[in-house]
PDB file of all heavy atoms in Angstrom:
ATOM      1  N   ASP C1490     172.473 -41.770 242.022  1.00 93.00           N
ATOM      2  CA  ASP C1490     171.451 -41.197 241.167  1.00 93.00           C
ATOM      3  C   ASP C1490     170.103 -41.778 241.489  1.00 93.00           C
ATOM      4  O   ASP C1490     169.969 -42.978 241.626  1.00 93.00           O
ATOM      5  CB  ASP C1490     171.817 -41.462 239.723  1.00 93.00           C
ATOM      6  CG  ASP C1490     170.791 -40.807 238.793  1.00 93.00           C
ATOM      7  OD1 ASP C1490     170.840 -39.604 238.579  1.00 93.00           O
ATOM      8  OD2 ASP C1490     169.916 -41.510 238.235  1.00 93.00           O
ATOM      9  N   PRO C1491     169.083 -40.911 241.631  1.00 93.00           N
ATOM     10  CA  PRO C1491     167.766 -41.411 241.970  1.00 93.00           C
ATOM     11  C   PRO C1491     167.234 -42.433 240.953  1.00 93.00           C
ATOM     12  O   PRO C1491     166.531 -43.374 241.307  1.00 93.00           O
ATOM     13  CB  PRO C1491     166.876 -40.157 241.997  1.00 93.00           C
ATOM     14  CG  PRO C1491     167.712 -39.105 241.336  1.00 93.00           C
ATOM     15  CD  PRO C1491     169.137 -39.454 241.550  1.00 93.00           C
ATOM     16  N   THR C1492     167.605 -42.255 239.698  1.00 93.00           N
ATOM     17  CA  THR C1492     167.089 -43.169 238.669  1.00 93.00           C
ATOM     18  C   THR C1492     168.010 -44.390 238.561  1.00 93.00           C
ATOM     19  O   THR C1492     167.863 -45.199 237.644  1.00 93.00           O
ATOM     20  CB  THR C1492     167.014 -42.539 237.276  1.00 93.00           C
ATOM     21  OG1 THR C1492     168.372 -42.328 236.826  1.00 93.00           O
ATOM     22  CG2 THR C1492     166.353 -41.160 237.362  1.00 93.00           C
ATOM     23  N   ARG C1493     168.996 -44.492 239.472  1.00 93.00           N
ATOM     24  CA  ARG C1493     169.951 -45.612 239.423  1.00 93.00           C
ATOM     25  C   ARG C1493     170.626 -45.727 238.102  1.00 93.00           C
ATOM     26  O   ARG C1493     170.975 -46.777 237.625  1.00 93.00           O
ATOM     27  CB  ARG C1493     169.243 -46.931 239.837  1.00 93.00           C
ATOM     28  CG  ARG C1493     169.033 -47.018 241.364  1.00 93.00           C
ATOM     29  CD  ARG C1493     168.299 -48.287 241.727  1.00 93.00           C
ATOM     30  NE  ARG C1493     168.900 -49.490 241.185  1.00 93.00           N
ATOM     31  CZ  ARG C1493     168.285 -50.458 240.567  1.00 93.00           C
ATOM     32  NH1 ARG C1493     166.999 -50.371 240.341  1.00 93.00           N
ATOM     33  NH2 ARG C1493     168.936 -51.512 240.115  1.00 93.00           N
ATOM     34  N   GLY C1494     170.768 -44.633 237.433  1.00 95.00           N
ATOM     35  CA  GLY C1494     171.513 -44.664 236.142  1.00 95.00           C
ATOM     36  C   GLY C1494     170.752 -45.358 235.006  1.00 95.00           C
ATOM     37  O   GLY C1494     171.390 -45.896 234.126  1.00 95.00           O
ATOM     38  N   ALA C1495     169.450 -45.309 235.091  1.00 95.00           N
ATOM     39  CA  ALA C1495     168.668 -45.804 233.935  1.00 95.00           C
ATOM     40  C   ALA C1495     169.040 -44.909 232.754  1.00 95.00           C
ATOM     41  O   ALA C1495     169.198 -43.726 232.904  1.00 95.00           O
ATOM     42  CB  ALA C1495     167.182 -45.699 234.278  1.00 95.00           C
ATOM     43  N   ASN C1496     169.158 -45.523 231.573  1.00 97.00           N
ATOM     44  CA  ASN C1496     169.425 -44.775 230.341  1.00 97.00           C
ATOM     45  C   ASN C1496     170.757 -44.032 230.417  1.00 97.00           C
ATOM     46  O   ASN C1496     170.918 -42.878 229.974  1.00 97.00           O
ATOM     47  CB  ASN C1496     168.337 -43.792 230.051  1.00 97.00           C
ATOM     48  CG  ASN C1496     166.995 -44.432 230.016  1.00 97.00           C
ATOM     49  OD1 ASN C1496     166.827 -45.526 229.455  1.00 97.00           O
ATOM     50  ND2 ASN C1496     166.010 -43.835 230.679  1.00 97.00           N
ATOM     51  N   TRP C1497     171.786 -44.734 230.983  1.00 98.00           N
ATOM     52  CA  TRP C1497     173.121 -44.156 230.988  1.00 98.00           C
ATOM     53  C   TRP C1497     174.055 -45.034 230.034  1.00 98.00           C
ATOM     54  O   TRP C1497     175.259 -44.743 229.970  1.00 98.00           O
ATOM     55  CB  TRP C1497     173.755 -44.132 232.369  1.00 98.00           C
ATOM     56  CG  TRP C1497     173.229 -43.017 233.207  1.00 98.00           C
ATOM     57  CD1 TRP C1497     172.276 -42.121 232.936  1.00 98.00           C
ATOM     58  CD2 TRP C1497     173.702 -42.642 234.551  1.00 98.00           C
ATOM     59  NE1 TRP C1497     172.116 -41.207 233.942  1.00 98.00           N
ATOM     60  CE2 TRP C1497     172.977 -41.526 234.954  1.00 98.00           C
ATOM     61  CE3 TRP C1497     174.701 -43.163 235.387  1.00 98.00           C
ATOM     62  CZ2 TRP C1497     173.212 -40.892 236.189  1.00 98.00           C
ATOM     63  CZ3 TRP C1497     174.914 -42.538 236.600  1.00 98.00           C
ATOM     64  CH2 TRP C1497     174.181 -41.395 237.009  1.00 98.00           C
ATOM     65  N   LEU C1498     173.546 -46.013 229.443  1.00 98.00           N
ATOM     66  CA  LEU C1498     174.389 -46.929 228.660  1.00 98.00           C
ATOM     67  C   LEU C1498     174.540 -46.426 227.228  1.00 98.00           C
ATOM     68  O   LEU C1498     173.607 -46.378 226.426  1.00 98.00           O
ATOM     69  CB  LEU C1498     173.764 -48.340 228.551  1.00 98.00           C
ATOM     70  CG  LEU C1498     174.031 -49.306 229.714  1.00 98.00           C
ATOM     71  CD1 LEU C1498     173.180 -50.574 229.450  1.00 98.00           C
ATOM     72  CD2 LEU C1498     175.507 -49.644 229.863  1.00 98.00           C
ATOM     73  N   ALA C1499     175.776 -46.006 226.913  1.00 98.00           N
ATOM     74  CA  ALA C1499     176.037 -45.463 225.564  1.00 98.00           C
ATOM     75  C   ALA C1499     175.583 -46.444 224.522  1.00 98.00           C
ATOM     76  O   ALA C1499     175.044 -46.117 223.480  1.00 98.00           O
ATOM     77  CB  ALA C1499     177.498 -45.133 225.372  1.00 98.00           C
ATOM     78  N   ASN C1500     175.826 -47.752 224.783  1.00 98.00           N
ATOM     79  CA  ASN C1500     175.535 -48.751 223.789  1.00 98.00           C
ATOM     80  C   ASN C1500     174.099 -49.105 223.618  1.00 98.00           C
ATOM     81  O   ASN C1500     173.765 -49.980 222.788  1.00 98.00           O
ATOM     82  CB  ASN C1500     176.379 -50.016 224.058  1.00 98.00           C
ATOM     83  CG  ASN C1500     177.807 -49.834 223.443  1.00 98.00           C
ATOM     84  OD1 ASN C1500     177.905 -49.350 222.359  1.00 98.00           O
ATOM     85  ND2 ASN C1500     178.816 -50.151 224.256  1.00 98.00           N
ATOM     86  N   ALA C1501     173.227 -48.433 224.367  1.00 98.00           N
ATOM     87  CA  ALA C1501     171.802 -48.580 224.028  1.00 98.00           C
ATOM     88  C   ALA C1501     171.587 -48.024 222.593  1.00 98.00           C
ATOM     89  O   ALA C1501     170.598 -48.354 221.973  1.00 98.00           O
ATOM     90  CB  ALA C1501     170.948 -47.801 225.044  1.00 98.00           C
ATOM     91  N   LEU C1502     172.480 -47.173 222.128  1.00 98.00           N
ATOM     92  CA  LEU C1502     172.315 -46.497 220.871  1.00 98.00           C
ATOM     93  C   LEU C1502     172.935 -47.213 219.663  1.00 98.00           C
ATOM     94  O   LEU C1502     172.511 -47.013 218.538  1.00 98.00           O
ATOM     95  CB  LEU C1502     172.885 -45.051 220.932  1.00 98.00           C
ATOM     96  CG  LEU C1502     172.379 -44.165 222.047  1.00 98.00           C
ATOM     97  CD1 LEU C1502     173.174 -42.882 222.043  1.00 98.00           C
ATOM     98  CD2 LEU C1502     170.882 -43.832 221.809  1.00 98.00           C
ATOM     99  N   THR C1503     173.956 -48.014 219.896  1.00 98.00           N
ATOM    100  CA  THR C1503     174.803 -48.438 218.768  1.00 98.00           C
ATOM    101  C   THR C1503     174.230 -49.610 217.958  1.00 98.00           C
ATOM    102  O   THR C1503     173.480 -50.391 218.546  1.00 98.00           O
ATOM    103  CB  THR C1503     176.208 -48.868 219.336  1.00 98.00           C
ATOM    104  OG1 THR C1503     175.984 -49.779 220.455  1.00 98.00           O
ATOM    105  CG2 THR C1503     176.923 -47.638 219.819  1.00 98.00           C
ATOM    106  N   PRO C1504     174.604 -49.717 216.697  1.00 98.00           N
ATOM    107  CA  PRO C1504     174.008 -50.705 215.801  1.00 98.00           C
ATOM    108  C   PRO C1504     174.625 -52.093 215.959  1.00 98.00           C
ATOM    109  O   PRO C1504     175.801 -52.213 216.223  1.00 98.00           O
ATOM    110  CB  PRO C1504     174.283 -50.128 214.407  1.00 98.00           C
ATOM    111  CG  PRO C1504     175.576 -49.360 214.578  1.00 98.00           C
ATOM    112  CD  PRO C1504     175.512 -48.779 215.992  1.00 98.00           C
ATOM    113  N   PHE C1505     173.779 -53.067 215.725  1.00 97.00           N
ATOM    114  CA  PHE C1505     174.132 -54.506 215.891  1.00 97.00           C
ATOM    115  C   PHE C1505     174.774 -55.030 214.611  1.00 97.00           C
ATOM    116  O   PHE C1505     174.203 -55.901 213.925  1.00 97.00           O
ATOM    117  CB  PHE C1505     172.874 -55.289 216.191  1.00 97.00           C
ATOM    118  CG  PHE C1505     173.056 -56.592 216.919  1.00 97.00           C
ATOM    119  CD1 PHE C1505     173.493 -56.631 218.228  1.00 97.00           C
ATOM    120  CD2 PHE C1505     172.818 -57.804 216.282  1.00 97.00           C
ATOM    121  CE1 PHE C1505     173.654 -57.835 218.904  1.00 97.00           C
ATOM    122  CE2 PHE C1505     173.012 -59.011 216.987  1.00 97.00           C
ATOM    123  CZ  PHE C1505     173.398 -59.015 218.257  1.00 97.00           C
ATOM    124  N   VAL C1506     175.913 -54.479 214.234  1.00 97.00           N
ATOM    125  CA  VAL C1506     176.546 -54.783 213.014  1.00 97.00           C
ATOM    126  C   VAL C1506     178.042 -54.539 213.126  1.00 97.00           C
ATOM    127  O   VAL C1506     178.470 -53.756 213.969  1.00 97.00           O
ATOM    128  CB  VAL C1506     176.021 -53.945 211.831  1.00 97.00           C
ATOM    129  CG1 VAL C1506     176.329 -52.477 211.998  1.00 97.00           C
ATOM    130  CG2 VAL C1506     176.491 -54.477 210.489  1.00 97.00           C
ATOM    131  N   GLY C1507     178.822 -55.263 212.359  1.00 96.00           N
ATOM    132  CA  GLY C1507     180.287 -55.169 212.538  1.00 96.00           C
ATOM    133  C   GLY C1507     181.084 -55.135 211.241  1.00 96.00           C
ATOM    134  O   GLY C1507     180.493 -55.215 210.144  1.00 96.00           O
TER     135      GLY C1507
END
Side-chain angles (χ1 to χ4, degrees):
Chain C
D1490 183 75
T1492 72
R1493 282 178 54 227
N1496 308 315
W1497 282 7
L1498 277 175
N1500 276 315
L1502 302 173
T1503 49
F1505 203 71
V1506 66

